[in-house]
Amino acid sequence: MISMEFLVASGIGFVVACGIYLLLRGRSFTVVLGLSLLGYAVNVFIFAMGRLWSGAPPILEGAGPFADPLPQALVLTAIVIGFATTGFVIELALRSHHENGTDQVDGIEPGEDGEDRDEAERGPGR
Amino acid sequence: MQTLLHEVMAHLPMLAVLLPSLTAVVLLLLGDHGGDSHGGHGHHRLLWSRRIALASVLLGLLMAALLVQQAATGELTVYRVGDWPAPYGIVLVVDRLSAMMLLLTSLVAVPVLWYATGGWDSHGRHFHALFQFQLMGLNGAFVTGDLFNLFVFFEVLLIASYVLMVHGQGRVRFRVGLHYVVLNLVASALFLIGVALLYAKTGTLNFADLAVRVPGVTGPDAALLQAGALLLLVVFGFKAALAPLSMWLPATYAAASAPVAALFAIMTKVGVYGIIRLHGVVFGADAGPSVFLVAPLLLPLALATCVVGVLGALAAATLERLVAWLTVASVGTVLVAVGLFTDAAWGAALYYMANSTLVVAGMFLLAELVAAQRGDAAARLEPASPVSQPVLLGLMMLLAGASAAGLPPLPGFIGKLMLLEASSAHTWQLAVWTVVLGVGFLSLIGLARAGSILFWHVRDEVPGTAAGASPKLIGATTALLAATVAMSVFAAPISAYTAAAARQLVDRESYARAVLGPQGIQTNTTRPYRFAPAVPAAPAAAPVAQEAGR
Amino acid sequence: MSPLALVVLLPLLLGTTLCFWAGRVDSPARRRLTALVAAAVTAAALGVLLWLAPRVFAGEVLLTQASWVPAIGLNANFRLDGLAWMFAALITGIGLLIVLYAAFYLHHDDPAGKFFGTLMLFMAAMLGIALSDNLILLLVFWELTSLSSFLLIGFWGRLEESRAGARQALAITGGGGLVMLAGIVVLGQIAGTFELSQMLGRGAEIQAHPMYPLALCLILVGCFTKSAQLPFHFWLPAAMAAPTPVSAYLHSATMVKAGLFMMMRLYPVLGGTALFQDIVASVGLLTMVFAAFVAVFKHDLKALLAYSTISHLGLITFLIGLSSPLSAVAAVFHILNHACFKAALFMSAGIVDHETGSRDMRRLGGLLAAMPVMGLLVMVAAAAMAGLPPFNGFISKEMMLHEAVHGGLWGSAGWLVPVLATLGGLFSAAYSLRLVHDTFFNGPAKDLPHPHPHEPPLGMKLPVMLLVLICIAVGLAPMLLAGPLVSVAASAVLGAPAPAFELALWHGLNLPLALSGVALLGGLAMYAGLKRGGRLHAYVSRAGGQQVFSGLTDGLFALAGRVAQALENGSLQRYAAWMVASAVALGAAPFLLGSGPAPGTGQRALLPAPALAVGIWLALLVIGVVLLRLHRRRFEATVLTGAVGLVASLTFVAFSAPDLAMTQLSVDVVSTVLLLMSLAVLPQFSPLESAQLRRWRDGALAVSGGGGIAWLSWLALTRDHDSISWYFLEKSVPAGGGSNAVNVILVDFRGYDTFGEITVLGIAGVGVLALLEGLRVRRPGADPQGRPWSFERQPLMLRMAARLVLPLALVVSAYIFWRGHGLPGGGFIAGLVTAVALVIQYMAIGQQQAEALLHGAGGRRFVRWIGAGLGMAWLTGIGAFFFGRPFLTSAHGHPVVPVLGELPLATAALFDLGVYVTVVGSTLLMLSVLGAASKGVQPAQARP
């Protein structure tokens, strides 16, 4: 019979794999999607390090069992931070696209050579 | 008054974080210039922001100095946030290393902020608030005694750095900034995975408690724990620009505005700090099956980092990139010393790290001063119009370069010499000596080339910039370089301090006793977490109960 | 202040600063003043030395000690004995003459302050070398000479050859210094000290040590580079690009003698062994012959003198290497002599250059008529250089030949030694002859830049005269004038009383005399032979060491360029791939390489999976696969990603984490909205660009990464764990005042984390504002499917709904907020719910109004909210201070309020309120700034 543990473990792995693949694409938007997938998986992973507990929320009324509350608290923090960073990176991607005229992560459309880029590389902002 | 001072001393570790945080909040409430930096309310707000920010960093410097003075006596200051006992609550621990890092941060922050008030701070929104947030993150990371809390403050300093990175805008900054942010987000994900694994096997997050538990994790389970620790090596290694994860740094630092790049000089050291705390101490000597976990890996990678860094410096086309690559090389040198895993070598590492941070910060500022006086050529290493302050800038360049290349009697030399002496009789001695001296030689060649092009190979027909740099900018840069000179004049006490810091680090016993309380080491802080754990065993509860004296 | 330190510190501090100060304004008066200052400082240093002379000549060794960095054995210990005194006197004495000469030599547009300041720095460094007792300190000054000579040689940095020469000198001598550093450290570890005074007596013991050869070789490399011995000789001719006073100073008396000094200084420690003798003497001999030969063919006066210098350095090295007491005497004596005649000759070359504008012997000639005095002086000095009687050079050369004959070097091939030595003498006779003949005879001069040369000003001539006089005087009365100094210096070298020696022109008819006769006649013949038919002048020199060196450096830079380019190619995809790869590798390492058995499935009781769970799992797989297929269609991809988030929150629900579920859900909603809004101004599709191979590589990385994480989770999930969490379960209610353990941890046990966390959120909000500052993009009216992007006024129904939703949502969030401490909920979730409600509002009432409402004052309103929220949290935390408790210590009570029932009123709740405000503030800031950034309805034009 299939165990919950198996489902969770494999699920985490699967999402991480999808996340990594998208992360390695060449377009900023896709990269951001990959990052948020990675984020989801990591959150569940942290949570899972408190092991799986069904029907045991850590609301301390009556006698247990109670799920391990610490990883849950950590995940909450992680979620918030993840939210903040996602919000930031997507708008950075947007701005970069606008400034560089492309949302290719290196600012070079394939085929176009890196000349102007090297030009820009030298005198930042001056 | 007396009592107030006493109060302040009592809360000093916390205030190191709370001061910049308060300042940032105040600056947010004050609002920034909102675009108009010349005249009008915006301008007034900017002036006030400058005053508040400078006052704050100066106060921070003072507090850091106090903490160093306190730590120099050898006592560990432990501060229970929320008054919960370790390892259950979060504690701040200030030992010699932490105090030193705080002081170093302030020493970089003060001149850099002063420099930034020379104009950079008006080239974007909320520079001062973000700068303070950055300091808050750095200080928080340096004082915390809790692994997950370290992650949180990493995020604070990182997200602040993301914004500062693109401060001043421009296409290159946005593109490079995107790289920087994305890679750091991957690193953060890895950080979380590593922390989770450590928790999964030790059930605790407090550094002292981890150091106590890690030796206990034996058998097949040790592999899980070590996997977590090694993932964290990737994270810290990335932050510290350890090869092969150093390639992000040059473009990022070269693209950032000068004061930001200078401030970032301390950022790589956060990675080094993490490696020392976790892999050096927790997974260091007497860590049971995980003893010296990263030793076989760290030294070769660090040596590679030195080589890559100096080759990059030779190849650099602009002064900023040259400095950025030298940053990589210097971090490599520091990590070589760390990788030797003797307290003598660690003393050298800390001394060298302090100096290289100051030098690099100074050189980033200097690079902009030079670039600003060379017309269109900016900092490109090619013949151009003569700079308008050749003697002044030339001397600064000479000083900084000599220190970076490790020429005597500057601290770079002293640190490297300590490293050479510490590495003798080590199996890798030959490699270490060759690389350290070779890197010094190559940096010398690279810097001599850069200097001779920038200051000697001038083309008078090219129109230059007549105006010299403002005294403020010169002063800030000089302050940083003067600090390195001071480090060599007062090398004796400073190196004594770093050596003591190193010895204190390897003394896990007293660290644990200070943090977990006298019997904290014996009493088992963790308990089997099984079904129905609500009612704990009486005996084990007793010490904890009186520990949490509330 | 001890007099020894004073000798060094005078020029180091006073000299440099005063000269820079005096020379900072450029006027003839100032220039004279600067020179005067330099001269005064030098004279002062010399004066101190002379004042100490009696004690030194009485055989006393003066020591002063001051600790600097004990950690590395670096101490400011100085030592003055015969050898040190002789060098110090040379440095300051010749230095004085140089300063005088330079005062007249420098052109009026050469910055005097820079010149004399650097000269003082260099002089100080040289004095430091001479007087150091601590070897590390000596090395400090050693590298300082490299650095200051770099500045001096590059004084005319605008000229290519000056820059090249300076960089070459720095690279060779500085690099040699680094090697010597290694040697000194080894030596220090052998001897257990870096102090000469504790080392000199223990030669035998140190030479018995297995590490001795290593130390010796490393140190010798340092000496040879500095003293331009083969194969490091080439930097010296290149350094001739320097102003002539500098050449005269560096290459007669100082810089190049540092290497010799070091060999002599350490002779009692390292010298005398067969190894030492073979290396040093052979290198010296070969250098002497080779350089002398090359010198003959140099057309440039200074180049000829440069090679002759190398040759004479070789001669002295050879003498040191022979390591007999008498050879040491000869070495010391020749150092003195060479300093005198070579300095004179360099200055004369400078004068000729100064007067005629050329140093090329092919153009010069017949100058005797124009400047007879100079001619005479040069002839005498050149004769001394060639080793003609009755000048000082002759005596020391005789001694050299005598040593060469009796040296006993090279065993069976020993006869070769005197032959080579004589050859060296022969060549030096030849080039000396050429120097004189080609310059002052062999006229007339051909097209000189200054056609009418004449005698130089007295100030320039005086130093030369003085030196030439010394050459003659020492030649005539050697014992009287040089004897005592040579003897005291030689005994310092030998570390023992010097042998009885006799400095005299006439030693009777003996082999050395014959040999030098042969040398002189041979030299004459050689020059005559070469001269015939102008063959010598036609000769063009081919590539030498310099070209090799610059070739090497160019190669180095090219290599570095290639390496850097290969590693740092600016591709995010590459860097990210490396990161993932290293994570996978390191994560797997303990399992693959770890000692002991790799862990397998554990014993923990597993939870059976209900059908629903399996269904959701399958759904996840489907979502993922579809996402991978469609990821280039961004709208779909975004929605699918949101769906994955949904699965995550379902997981949390399933495994008793209601708080997480709620948070994840609300975060999911908001971030999806964010993504969609930004998608409005981004391209809708990603082009297919990664190559097949690239996609396979990424696939492999993804699979290994995912597989690794899955395996790790499986291993962890199938094992029970110990944890500190019991404490939270125990304390939450009694000590934390809340029954929702998670929330109590968040706001109390680990409230500090939350404090940091909301800071992050706040920074993100402010950051977005800073990021999109000044950004205005035109948003396409609709995406290719014709879905409208702009948020126009929505149908009345929705607006009404929204109007209802907002207050409702506010109530709900208030409820969630309050119950948070006891039941799932809390400030963060409440904040997000409020934000979501406001977002719905935003969509409903249409762009324009929404902006009016939300994007208040360039986002400043929300920045203030963020500030307020953070401030609230801060104040709550700080509140504890007034009760003498640490930051964030909570207090709580349970007042019973009508209707609402018992309220868990903890200070933590106040903290939570801060969280709430911050969350609302930054979420709205992110959304509104993004909204405000994307105005208009024209299709976005990607800038070319």
Side-chain angles (χ1 to χ4, degrees):
Chain A
M1 110 196 158
I2 310 178
S3 68
M4 282 290 199
E5 280 76 5
F6 170 75
L7 295 187
V8 172
S10 54
I12 293 172
F14 178 70
V15 176
V16 165
C18 299
I20 292 179
Y21 185 79
L22 293 191
L23 169 74
L24 296 177
R25 297 304 95 217
R27 296 283 158 173
S28 52
F29 189 83
T30 322
V31 171
V32 174
L33 290 187
L35 284 172
S36 35
L37 283 183
L38 219 49
Y40 294 136
V42 167
N43 291 342
V44 179
F45 180 81
I46 308 171
F47 171 68
M49 290 305 110
R51 312 309 191 258
L52 302 185
W53 308 78
S54 66
I59 310 300
L60 308 176
E61 281 149 1
F66 301 117
D68 184 345
L70 185 52
Q72 297 197 15
L74 303 188
V75 173
L76 273 174
T77 308
I79 292 178
V80 179
I81 289 175
F83 168 62
T85 44
T86 316
F88 183 81
V89 70
I90 185 59
E91 313 214 5
L92 175 55
L94 189 152
R95 186 69 196 254
S96 175
H97 163 256
H98 180 253
E99 295 292 322
N100 292 289
T102 165
D103 66 345
Q104 206 280 342
V105 286
D106 305 327
I108 317 167
E109 282 295 345
E112 161 194 351
D113 60 359
E115 274 318 310
D116 65 333
R117 181 162 143 273
D118 297 343
E119 192 55 44
E121 202 77 70
R122 293 183 181 135
R126 263 191 231 87
Chain B
M1 189 59 227
Q2 205 56 35
T3 53
L4 178 64
L5 185 66
H6 183 267
E7 275 297 304
V8 171
M9 289 306 286
H11 293 295
L12 216 43
M14 193 72 242
L15 291 176
V17 181
L18 290 184
L19 173 69
S21 133
L22 174 66
T23 315
V25 167
V26 171
L27 289 172
L28 285 186
L29 291 175
L30 177 70
D32 73 344
H33 57 86
D36 71 312
S37 62
H38 309 298
H41 294 304
H43 187 57
H44 287 297
R45 275 200 294 274
L46 180 62
L47 292 183
W48 272 107
S49 314
R50 285 176 178 173
R51 294 180 192 130
I52 297 172
L54 279 171
S56 166
V57 286
L58 285 171
L59 191 55
L61 180 62
L62 177 67
M63 298 195 319
L66 283 174
L67 277 168
V68 166
Q69 189 192 22
Q70 215 170 47
T73 65
E75 72 162 310
L76 288 112
T77 316
V78 179
Y79 186 91
R80 300 167 153 198
V81 186
D83 209 9
W84 298 105
Y88 313 103
I90 299 170
V91 291
L92 311 183
V93 187
V94 178
D95 58 359
R96 286 195 180 89
L97 175 58
S98 300
M100 169 185 153
M101 296 312 287
L102 289 177
L103 185 59
L104 188 58
T105 310
S106 291
L107 281 177
V108 174
V110 172
V112 168
L113 186 63
W114 190 27
Y115 185 99
T117 56
W120 267 113
D121 59 351
S122 62
H123 294 185
R125 305 290 306 269
H126 293 292
F127 175 86
H128 288 290
L130 292 162
F131 193 94
Q132 294 297 329
F133 278 127
Q134 171 89 74
L135 293 182
M136 172 190 176
L138 287 163
N139 292 358
F142 288 139
V143 292
T144 187
D146 182 282
L147 183 54
F148 188 79
N149 191 245
L150 181 66
F151 165 78
V152 172
F153 278 90
F154 255 64
E155 289 305 311
V156 174
L157 71 90
L158 280 174
I159 193 150
S161 75
Y162 302 158
V163 191
L164 287 174
M165 162 71 215
V166 296
H167 177 78
Q169 307 202 331
R171 50 188 298 205
V172 182
R173 289 202 183 104
F174 284 119
R175 190 187 70 247
V176 176
L178 185 67
H179 291 194
Y180 175 66
V181 175
V182 168
L183 291 172
N184 269 296
L185 292 186
V186 180
S188 301
L190 290 172
F191 199 145
L192 285 171
I193 296 174
V195 174
L197 280 170
L198 261 56
Y199 174 77
K201 277 298 119 196
T202 61
T204 185
L205 294 166
N206 176 290
F207 275 118
D209 205 18
L210 278 169
V212 176
R213 309 252 148 267
V214 163
V217 183
T218 53
D221 290 16
L224 265 171
L225 186 67
Q226 292 162 1
L230 286 170
L231 286 180
L232 288 174
L233 180 66
V234 177
V235 178
F236 296 146
F238 167 76
K239 303 269 187 269
L242 178 67
L245 302 178
S246 24
M247 299 314 148
W248 61 274
L249 188 143
T252 312
Y253 281 35
S257 60
V260 172
L263 181 63
F264 281 12
I266 194 84
M267 299 263 290
T268 50
K269 312 309 183 290
V270 180
V272 177
Y273 177 84
I275 292 178
I276 293 180
R277 278 260 180 254
L278 189 75
H279 303 97
V281 178
V282 176
F283 287 88
D286 46 37
S290 316
V291 64
F292 292 132
L293 179 61
V294 300
L297 207 58
L298 192 53
L299 194 50
L301 287 183
L303 289 169
T305 312
C306 295
V307 176
V308 172
V310 80
L311 286 181
L314 289 181
T318 74
L319 186 54
E320 289 107 344
R321 288 179 58 77
L322 175 75
V323 179
W325 276 112
L326 284 180
T327 316
V328 176
S330 71
V331 167
T333 316
V334 173
L335 286 176
V336 167
V338 174
L340 291 171
F341 283 94
T342 68
D343 43 4
W346 280 11
L350 298 183
Y351 181 87
Y352 188 84
M353 175 164 76
N355 170 61
S356 64
T357 310
L358 294 168
V359 173
V360 166
M363 284 185 99
F364 273 118
L365 298 186
L366 180 58
E368 189 185 63
L369 292 183
V370 174
Q373 299 186 5
R374 296 182 74 239
D376 302 339
R380 282 202 297 283
L381 296 180
E382 63 190 27
S385 60
V387 299
S388 43
Q389 297 167 301
V391 175
L392 181 61
L393 297 186
L395 285 177
M396 287 161 107
M397 177 78 187
L398 188 71
L399 182 62
S403 189
L407 284 190
L410 293 162
F413 165 82
I414 297 176
K416 283 184 174 177
L417 190 47
M418 287 183 188
L419 173 52
L420 294 188
E421 288 173 359
S423 70
S424 50
H426 189 281
T427 41
W428 284 71
Q429 177 180 11
L430 183 61
V432 172
W433 281 40
T434 321
V435 169
V436 169
L437 292 175
V439 165
F441 176 61
L442 293 182
S443 342
L444 191 64
I445 290 186
L447 284 161
R449 169 168 162 272
S452 64
I453 292 175
L454 290 173
F455 291 96
W456 289 347
H457 196 177
V458 295
R459 295 164 46 204
D460 297 305
E461 74 279 9
V462 184
T465 325
S470 79
K472 181 186 272 182
L473 304 187
I474 296 285
T477 316
T478 317
L480 278 169
L481 298 179
T484 75
V485 176
M487 275 200 70
S488 107
V489 175
F490 302 108
I494 297 176
S495 57
Y497 181 91
T498 55
R503 281 194 302 277
Q504 189 179 35
L505 278 170
V506 292
D507 183 0
R508 301 151 58 104
E509 193 64 23
S510 45
Y511 184 86
R513 197 177 302 108
V515 174
L516 301 175
Q519 77 284 68
I521 304 159
Q522 290 76 18
T523 51
N524 205 351
T525 53
T526 64
R527 307 213 186 137
Y529 204 96
R530 310 282 180 264
F531 284 95
V535 202
V544 179
Q546 51 120 355
E547 234 176 276
R550 38 179 52 248
Chain C
M1 172 66 70
S2 92
L4 271 60
L6 195 64
V7 173
V8 179
L9 292 183
L10 267 175
L12 184 60
L13 304 178
L14 211 58
T16 49
T17 45
L18 281 182
C19 286
F20 270 116
W21 169 79
R24 74 190 188 288
V25 251
D26 193 37
S27 74
R30 283 301 198 138
R31 307 169 61 76
R32 277 195 295 281
L33 175 63
T34 319
L36 215 58
V37 168
V41 172
T42 318
L46 183 55
V48 175
L49 286 167
L50 293 173
W51 170 60
L52 294 170
R55 296 165 65 184
V56 174
F57 280 85
E60 193 179 338
V61 176
L62 301 138
L63 290 171
T64 60
Q65 268 136 4
S67 150
W68 187 355
V69 194
I72 55 170
L74 168 55
N75 295 315
N77 297 356
F78 292 100
R79 155 192 198 88
L80 183 66
D81 58 9
L83 182 63
W85 193 91
M86 180 184 89
F87 266 87
L90 265 182
I91 293 159
T92 44
I94 304 267
L96 200 51
L97 298 179
I98 294 291
V99 171
L100 175 60
Y101 176 82
F104 290 85
Y105 176 90
L106 279 189
H107 194 263
H108 58 73
D109 56 16
D110 298 327
K114 183 177 152 201
F115 179 85
F116 286 108
T118 326
L119 197 69
M120 286 293 115
L121 183 65
F122 176 79
M123 182 185 292
M126 282 309 302
L127 287 168
I129 293 180
L131 297 182
S132 295
D133 185 52
N134 177 294
L135 283 178
I136 305 280
L137 183 69
L138 189 152
L139 197 87
V140 169
F141 289 114
W142 184 277
E143 291 293 36
L144 195 53
T145 55
S146 310
L147 203 58
S148 44
S149 64
F150 169 73
L151 297 177
L152 284 170
I153 297 167
F155 184 73
W156 287 326
R158 287 158 193 255
L159 310 176
E160 174 56 37
E161 69 264 30
S162 295
R163 292 193 298 273
R167 275 159 56 182
Q168 219 171 79
L170 181 63
I172 300 296
T173 61
L178 286 172
V179 179
M180 194 161 89
L181 166 65
I184 286 178
V185 174
V186 175
L187 180 59
Q189 281 164 352
I190 298 175
T193 173
F194 288 111
E195 308 304 328
L196 281 166
S197 42
Q198 297 169 30
M199 199 183 283
L200 290 176
R202 296 160 47 198
E205 163 199 351
I206 289 167
Q207 292 173 6
H209 194 283
M211 299 284 275
Y212 161 76
L214 178 63
L216 175 67
C217 295
L218 292 174
I219 292 178
L220 282 183
V221 170
C223 300
F224 289 165
T225 50
K226 206 74 162 179
S227 286
Q229 296 301 295
L230 286 176
F232 308 109
H233 61 284
F234 51 85
W235 71 264
L236 199 153
M240 286 304 141
T244 300
V246 172
S247 317
Y249 195 38
L250 265 61
H251 306 131
S252 65
T254 56
M255 174 119 164
V256 293
K257 297 276 172 71
L260 307 175
F261 173 79
M262 192 65 182
M263 285 189 266
M264 293 178 155
R265 185 82 277 180
L266 289 175
Y267 179 83
V269 182
L270 302 174
T273 60
L275 183 64
F276 180 87
Q277 192 169 9
D278 291 344
I279 298 178
V280 177
S282 317
V283 170
L285 185 55
L286 295 179
T287 309
M288 169 171 84
V289 180
F290 165 81
F293 178 74
V294 176
V296 179
F297 298 90
K298 290 295 165 188
H299 303 310
D300 178 356
L301 278 174
K302 281 178 79 176
L304 183 150
L305 290 174
Y307 274 96
S308 123
T309 305
I310 299 175
S311 160
H312 281 269
L313 293 168
L315 186 158
I316 299 166
T317 310
F318 168 64
L319 283 170
I320 298 170
L322 290 176
S323 5
S324 80
L326 271 177
S327 69
V329 173
V332 171
F333 189 38
H334 195 70
I335 285 183
L336 286 170
N337 299 336
H338 176 255
C340 294
F341 61 69
K342 193 50 65 71
L345 284 170
F346 267 117
M347 293 190 199
S348 315
I351 289 172
V352 169
D353 188 7
H354 191 266
E355 291 299 322
T356 65
S358 167
R359 297 188 321 234
D360 188 338
M361 285 183 280
R362 288 166 300 187
R363 298 165 77 185
L364 294 169
L367 293 181
L368 190 62
M371 37 177 92
V373 181
M374 282 313 299
L376 191 62
L377 293 173
V378 171
M379 278 184 247
V380 174
M385 173 163 77
L388 245 63
F391 307 116
N392 56 0
F394 171 74
I395 306 175
S396 42
K397 190 192 62 178
E398 288 300 295
M399 296 167 85
M400 182 274 286
L401 288 170
H402 177 272
E403 291 306 311
V405 173
H406 306 95
L409 191 66
W410 293 359
S412 60
W415 59 270
L416 211 55
V417 176
V419 173
L420 284 174
T422 317
L423 213 54
L426 186 153
F427 295 141
S428 69
Y431 65 68
S432 311
L433 184 57
R434 176 183 181 187
L435 175 68
V436 174
H437 181 255
D438 258 351
T439 316
F440 292 96
F441 305 93
N442 193 30
K446 304 156 201 64
D447 54 72
L448 293 174
H450 312 325
H452 304 303
H454 42 67
E455 289 288 339
L458 185 64
M460 275 178 113
K461 210 165 16 176
L462 206 55
V464 185
M465 288 176 166
L466 206 60
L467 290 164
V468 168
L469 275 181
I470 297 177
C471 292
I472 302 169
V474 170
L476 298 176
M479 231 22 214
L480 176 68
L481 295 172
L485 179 53
V486 170
S487 135
V488 66
S491 15
V493 173
L494 298 165
F501 58 86
E502 172 64 28
L503 306 176
L505 285 168
W506 183 251
H507 286 275
L509 285 169
N510 55 12
L511 185 53
L513 188 63
L515 289 179
S516 49
V518 172
L520 289 176
L521 295 175
L524 191 60
M526 177 182 181
Y527 179 64
L530 286 170
K531 188 84 190 63
R532 198 180 310 108
R535 252 179 295 161
L536 189 53
H537 285 189
Y539 169 81
V540 197
S541 71
R542 292 175 315 293
Q546 274 182 61
Q547 283 70 10
V548 176
F549 176 83
S550 46
L552 281 177
T553 40
D554 295 350
L556 174 68
F557 281 109
L559 171 78
R562 276 200 299 284
V563 172
Q565 210 138 41
L567 291 176
E568 190 215 10
N569 66 344
S571 150
L572 174 63
Q573 290 165 283
R574 155 100 65 97
Y575 302 163
W578 278 355
M579 191 131 171
V580 174
S582 24
V584 170
L586 288 193
F591 296 91
L592 307 179
L593 319 171
S595 57
T601 306
Q603 276 67 39
R604 188 173 192 270
L606 302 182
L607 303 170
L612 177 61
V614 181
I616 294 174
W617 181 71
L618 291 173
L620 177 68
L621 297 194
V622 176
I623 294 171
V625 174
V626 178
L627 178 54
L628 289 183
R629 302 289 319 144
L630 295 185
H631 75 263
R632 291 186 295 110
R633 298 172 57 176
R634 296 183 172 180
F635 183 83
E636 289 81 346
T638 313
V639 174
L640 287 169
T641 311
V644 174
L646 192 61
V647 175
S649 26
L650 287 178
T651 321
F652 294 139
V653 173
F655 301 112
S656 31
D659 289 275
L660 270 60
M662 291 170 77
T663 316
Q664 182 75 74
L665 197 60
S666 34
V667 164
D668 206 14
V669 173
V670 178
S671 36
T672 310
V673 170
L674 264 174
L675 288 173
L676 288 177
M677 284 176 75
S678 57
L679 195 50
V681 287
L682 284 170
Q684 304 308 309
F685 297 96
S686 315
L688 173 60
E689 52 195 5
S690 18
Q692 193 68 23
L693 184 67
R694 162 70 62 84
R695 268 179 278 141
W696 277 109
R697 184 200 76 180
D698 298 349
L701 278 175
V703 170
S704 46
I709 287 288
W711 182 238
L712 287 174
S713 343
W714 176 249
L715 292 179
L717 284 173
T718 55
R719 286 168 165 66
D720 274 312
H721 76 301
D722 297 4
S723 162
I724 56 173
S725 297
W726 60 269
Y727 184 85
F728 306 120
L729 299 184
E730 253 183 20
K731 299 277 178 184
S732 280
V733 179
S739 52
N740 177 356
V742 176
N743 185 277
V744 176
I745 293 178
L746 274 179
V747 297
D748 200 338
F749 292 108
R750 298 186 67 91
Y752 186 43
D753 279 347
T754 313
F755 182 65
E757 158 202 322
I758 58 175
T759 310
V760 173
L761 198 55
I763 300 173
V766 179
V768 168
L769 180 63
L771 185 62
L772 298 193
E773 173 75 0
L775 174 70
R776 287 288 178 276
V777 291
R778 300 220 155 279
R779 170 170 23 78
D783 74 1
Q785 280 76 31
R787 279 185 296 264
W789 280 121
S790 64
F791 304 110
E792 293 314 314
R793 287 175 70 84
Q794 304 297 331
L796 187 65
M797 268 300 291
L798 179 52
R799 288 219 303 285
M800 295 316 296
R803 293 244 188 293
L804 286 181
V805 165
L806 186 56
L808 191 64
L810 291 178
V811 171
V812 171
S813 40
Y815 174 66
I816 294 177
F817 178 88
W818 276 117
R819 60 172 251 163
H821 220 47
L823 294 161
F828 182 76
I829 305 171
L832 277 178
V833 172
T834 312
V836 172
L838 289 172
V839 172
I840 297 172
Q841 194 72 358
Y842 179 43
M843 306 219 166
I845 64 180
Q847 186 103 38
Q848 306 314 326
Q849 294 185 37
E851 257 151 41
L853 174 68
L854 291 175
H855 187 251
R860 196 168 292 139
R861 173 183 301 157
F862 299 122
V863 172
R864 293 246 162 81
W865 287 18
I866 295 172
L870 292 178
M872 213 177 296
W874 196 91
L875 288 172
T876 320
I878 213 90
F881 286 8
F882 301 101
F883 304 94
R885 291 301 195 76
F887 188 62
L888 279 177
T889 311
S890 70
H892 53 80
H894 291 259
V896 178
V897 182
V899 187
L900 289 173
E902 187 192 25
L903 273 186
L905 223 141
T907 52
L910 207 55
F911 180 71
D912 225 7
L913 190 59
V915 176
Y916 173 83
V917 176
T918 315
V919 171
V920 176
S922 20
T923 315
L924 288 180
L925 187 51
M926 288 190 196
L927 292 168
S928 65
V929 170
L930 184 51
S934 53
K935 284 190 192 309
V937 290
Q938 280 70 22
Q941 281 307 327
R943 295 190 336 190

